[in-house]
Amino acid sequence: MRIVVATLAIAAAFAMPALAADQVEKAPPTGAYKKVSDLVKLPDFLPGLGQLYVDPKTLPAGPFLAYNRDGRLVSTVYMLPVEDLTNKDKRFDDLAAPGGKVNHVDVYFNAGHPGVEKPHAHVVLWHVPRADETRVAAK
Amino acid sequence: MVSRRYILRIGGGLLAGLLLPRLPLAAEAVEIRMQGNADGSHVWFDPVGLRVETGQTIRWINLDPGNSHTATAYHPKNFERPLRIPGGAEPWDSDYLLPNETFSITLAVEGVYDFYCVPHEHAGMVGRIIVGQPGRFPAADLSVQATGGEPIPEIALRAFPSVDEIMRQGVVRPA
Ligand SMILES: [Cu+2]
């Protein structure tokens, strides 16, 4: 009996950090994340990315959490200004990665948009297989 | 003989219609489209250069489903940017236009008007409108940096069509 209780206590102890962490699987994520289209004037659903959430304190790098039309997390996106990437004194360290398992990664140039107004790179950690990327494609 | 002359006249009229830039009537708004490609790596105004008559209404429309754009005149009243519209002309700033939103202005003062997109100036998203007839404005080299405010990035300066090209073609499409 004592062993069972002890086991439960240990299990509870390990479960605690998970409970305390933000829920990000389904939109809207908990914690400091805000819907990007509420922060800046951008379409609510961005073709190729989905619906984005970000903690404004982490701009411009993010992470941005991207959800498909069913509200499921499909990717975690970092937006890294080109001028920072070519600045030897600038680093991006310890960026949060709350989205879990990564299936594959895309990196590509973006000309800018409200929120990240200068040309930057999108680093996209896809949490879904390639085939599911179409779920956030243009209609 | 009469008929041949008649044909020549008709032919000349057709040729003139094909070769000369068609200046839109002031009554209808001229459209400048804000566009971007699918992954947002490239954005532009189309046309990028335009020649119109005094009193012409210009309407910008955002046809980019994945981004917001602005049409903002280079003017000290807009974020203290350099003056690149005629003295005495009213500056404009559309603010962010979501997909399919539009913004219109009417240009009453002759001269060269340079404008940009706030989030995409550093991607070279700028445009130039010339109002009026050739020779009525000083032949200043507008491709050089104007004084005042945050300088215009090199990529944007290179993107303006020349005054000559706009006067020649009437409408300059992006490359
Ligand atoms: Cu733009």
Side-chain angles (χ1 to χ4, degrees):
Chain A
M1 192 59 185
R2 286 247 297 275
I3 291 167
V4 171
V5 170
T7 309
L8 283 175
I10 290 166
F14 275 101
M16 281 311 280
L19 288 173
D22 296 331
Q23 180 288 125
V24 300
E25 277 300 297
K26 296 289 270 174
T30 59
Y33 290 98
K34 299 272 182 287
K35 204 200 288 188
V36 168
S37 64
D38 288 341
L39 296 172
V40 295
K41 207 173 170 197
L42 258 184
D44 189 51
F45 194 92
L46 295 170
L49 285 173
Q51 190 181 49
L52 296 182
Y53 286 79
V54 71
D55 174 353
K57 288 196 305 292
T58 66
L59 284 170
F64 294 75
L65 302 176
Y67 296 85
N68 67 16
R69 292 188 191 279
D70 301 326
R72 186 186 160 204
L73 181 72
V74 289
S75 75
T76 301
V77 184
Y78 305 95
M79 302 193 183
L80 311 177
V82 171
E83 65 181 7
D84 290 338
L85 291 175
T86 53
N87 175 354
K88 65 181 172 56
D89 298 320
K90 177 77 189 177
R91 300 174 53 99
F92 294 95
D93 284 325
D94 302 321
L95 301 175
K101 204 167 169 198
V102 175
N103 180 281
H104 62 288
V105 179
D106 287 340
V107 181
Y108 56 90
F109 177 80
N110 184 282
H113 45 76
V116 187
E117 283 85 356
K118 292 203 171 164
H120 56 275
H122 283 183
V123 179
V124 185
L125 314 186
W126 288 98
H127 303 299
V128 295
R130 268 202 69 87
D132 286 359
E133 286 185 24
T134 55
R135 307 278 299 273
V136 292
K139 296 166 277 233
Chain B
M1 279 302 117
V2 172
S3 65
R4 182 159 173 254
R5 217 174 125 191
Y6 180 69
I7 288 164
L8 282 174
R9 273 183 59 204
I10 297 280
L14 280 173
L15 275 180
L18 288 172
L19 294 180
L20 296 177
R22 182 176 165 268
L23 295 184
L25 300 171
E28 50 182 297
V30 175
E31 200 164 85
I32 299 179
R33 296 168 293 276
M34 299 150 144
Q35 298 189 271
N37 63 351
D39 68 3
S41 59
H42 186 39
V43 287
W44 63 91
F45 289 110
D46 183 13
V48 62
L50 189 59
R51 175 187 160 206
V52 297
E53 299 295 351
T54 311
Q56 176 66 52
T57 298
I58 313 286
R59 181 175 62 226
W60 284 267
I61 179 165
N62 180 7
L63 294 182
D64 184 349
N67 217 325
S68 303
H69 300 277
T70 80
T72 306
Y74 280 109
H75 191 283
K77 280 188 185 164
N78 289 334
F79 316 104
E80 295 171 20
R81 300 313 305 276
L83 178 68
R84 287 172 79 100
I85 69 174
E90 269 301 303
W92 71 87
D93 178 17
S94 68
D95 203 353
Y96 288 112
L97 300 182
L98 286 170
N100 296 315
E101 286 186 342
T102 64
F103 174 79
S104 299
I105 50 146
T106 299
L107 300 173
V109 180
E110 282 197 318
V112 180
Y113 294 73
D114 287 345
F115 60 93
Y116 67 109
C117 170
V118 168
H120 296 130
E121 185 192 25
H122 287 267
M125 188 167 172
V126 297
R128 171 172 287 171
I129 301 168
I130 300 177
V131 177
Q133 299 303 311
R136 296 257 190 102
F137 40 83
D141 184 0
L142 282 158
S143 66
V144 299
Q145 198 69 257
T147 51
E150 190 194 322
I152 299 170
E154 196 59 41
I155 188 173
L157 286 177
R158 281 200 309 268
F160 292 113
S162 72
V163 169
D164 279 354
E165 192 181 6
I166 296 172
M167 292 314 297
R168 222 169 34 238
Q169 293 179 227
V171 173
V172 181
R173 307 287 306 274

Short mmCIF file of all heavy atoms in Angstrom, two decimals, chain B residues 43 68-70 117 119-120 125, ligand 1:
data_model
loop_
_atom_site.label_atom_id
_atom_site.label_comp_id
_atom_site.label_asym_id
_atom_site.label_seq_id
_atom_site.Cartn_x
_atom_site.Cartn_y
_atom_site.Cartn_z
N VAL B 43 6.52 40.56 -53.21
CA VAL B 43 5.33 41.43 -53.15
C VAL B 43 5.53 42.61 -54.08
O VAL B 43 6.67 43.01 -54.33
CB VAL B 43 5.09 41.95 -51.70
CG1 VAL B 43 4.57 40.83 -50.81
CG2 VAL B 43 6.36 42.55 -51.12
N SER B 68 -1.16 41.89 -45.65
CA SER B 68 -1.71 43.23 -45.63
C SER B 68 -0.71 44.17 -46.28
O SER B 68 0.49 43.96 -46.19
CB SER B 68 -1.95 43.68 -44.19
OG SER B 68 -2.80 42.78 -43.54
N HIS B 69 -1.22 45.19 -46.94
CA HIS B 69 -0.36 46.16 -47.62
C HIS B 69 -0.88 47.57 -47.35
O HIS B 69 -2.04 47.75 -47.00
CB HIS B 69 -0.34 45.91 -49.14
CG HIS B 69 0.17 44.55 -49.51
ND1 HIS B 69 1.51 44.27 -49.62
CD2 HIS B 69 -0.48 43.40 -49.79
CE1 HIS B 69 1.66 43.00 -49.96
NE2 HIS B 69 0.47 42.45 -50.07
N THR B 70 -0.01 48.57 -47.55
CA THR B 70 -0.44 49.96 -47.48
C THR B 70 0.01 50.68 -48.75
O THR B 70 0.93 50.24 -49.44
CB THR B 70 0.17 50.73 -46.28
OG1 THR B 70 1.52 51.11 -46.61
CG2 THR B 70 0.16 49.91 -45.01
N CYS B 117 4.80 50.78 -49.56
CA CYS B 117 4.00 49.94 -48.68
C CYS B 117 4.76 49.82 -47.36
O CYS B 117 5.93 49.40 -47.34
CB CYS B 117 3.81 48.57 -49.31
SG CYS B 117 3.09 47.35 -48.19
N PRO B 119 4.87 47.81 -44.61
CA PRO B 119 5.61 46.60 -44.19
C PRO B 119 6.53 46.04 -45.28
O PRO B 119 7.26 45.09 -45.01
CB PRO B 119 4.50 45.60 -43.86
CG PRO B 119 3.34 46.03 -44.68
CD PRO B 119 3.45 47.53 -44.84
N HIS B 120 6.50 46.62 -46.48
CA HIS B 120 7.26 46.01 -47.58
C HIS B 120 8.20 46.96 -48.29
O HIS B 120 8.69 46.64 -49.38
CB HIS B 120 6.29 45.38 -48.60
CG HIS B 120 5.49 44.26 -48.00
ND1 HIS B 120 4.14 44.19 -48.10
CD2 HIS B 120 5.89 43.21 -47.27
CE1 HIS B 120 3.72 43.10 -47.45
NE2 HIS B 120 4.76 42.50 -46.94
N MET B 125 8.77 47.31 -52.29
CA MET B 125 7.39 47.52 -52.76
C MET B 125 7.08 49.02 -52.72
O MET B 125 6.65 49.56 -51.70
CB MET B 125 6.40 46.73 -51.89
CG MET B 125 4.97 46.75 -52.43
SD MET B 125 3.94 45.52 -51.61
CE MET B 125 2.33 45.94 -52.27
CU CU C 1 3.05 45.43 -49.21
#
